[in-house]
Amino acid sequence: MSWFRGAMDMLLGRRPVSMQVGAVCCDPVARKVLLITSRDTGRWVIPKGWPMAGRSLPGAAAQEAWEEAGVRGEIAAQEMGRFTYDKGQDRGFAVPVEVRVFLLSVHKLHDDFPEASERKRRWFAPADAANMVVEPELKTMLSALAHHDFQI
């Protein structure tokens, strides 16, 4: 049935959903979540990107957290959830993307990291972080952290 559904989607012009990985970076002592600004719109997001050859999904999420937010820490092996968004493309259209999200306990925050000049970052209480992001499923995940022990 999935083959048939995929064929019908292609015939109707629907693109398959692409997958990214993301990290919810948390400070287990302060019980806060780190958000960063996106490079294009400046809205608050979590570090995320494409899977990487030679890295597990959590490993790729940890690498994105380093490149985009300058964090190092311990990342959970199990995903905490998923959310979807439409990723704008250079040609003016958007593609649907599903982000698999992993919790990362921040051990060190660096000021010198690959995208430091392109992004802002700020710590938020989980409920406030949930109010800052747009994606409904991500809002739910961040809100749930208010009752989480932040342990990996």
Side-chain angles (χ1 to χ4, degrees):
M1 187 63 161
S2 62
W3 174 87
F4 178 75
R5 181 180 212 162
M8 289 303 297
D9 282 349
M10 297 263 267
L11 278 172
L12 296 172
R14 288 187 225 131
R15 293 180 50 102
V17 174
S18 296
M19 182 201 25
Q20 287 189 322
V21 294
V24 170
C25 304
C26 63
D27 179 335
V29 176
R31 300 185 51 78
K32 295 205 171 188
V33 174
L34 186 69
L35 295 180
I36 60 172
T37 55
S38 68
R39 289 189 294 188
D40 53 356
T41 64
R43 66 186 180 86
W44 292 104
V45 298
I46 62 169
K48 63 186 176 305
W50 303 108
M52 300 172 188
R55 291 190 191 264
S56 65
L57 295 180
Q63 181 64 30
E64 290 296 338
W66 161 247
E67 292 174 8
E68 297 182 1
V71 300
R72 296 285 192 194
E74 182 182 357
I75 193 144
Q78 299 296 315
E79 57 182 76
M80 65 182 289
R82 299 177 183 189
F83 72 92
T84 56
Y85 78 105
D86 289 330
K87 181 167 181 58
Q89 302 296 295
D90 292 338
R91 292 182 240 153
F93 62 92
V95 295
V97 176
E98 179 181 72
V99 182
R100 296 180 184 198
V101 181
F102 299 86
L103 189 65
L104 186 147
S105 180
V106 177
H107 297 165
K108 184 136 174 86
L109 189 65
H110 297 266
D111 291 328
D112 184 22
F113 57 97
E115 296 182 16
S117 65
E118 302 172 64
R119 299 181 187 273
K120 294 177 186 169
R121 61 186 182 186
R122 192 160 80 200
W123 291 102
F124 295 92
D128 294 334
N131 288 329
M132 300 303 291
V133 299
V134 173
E135 300 82 8
E137 300 107 323
L138 183 56
K139 283 180 179 290
T140 300
M141 277 186 266
L142 294 172
S143 291
L145 287 175
H147 308 291
H148 191 273
D149 64 7
F150 282 75
Q151 298 304 311
I152 301 295

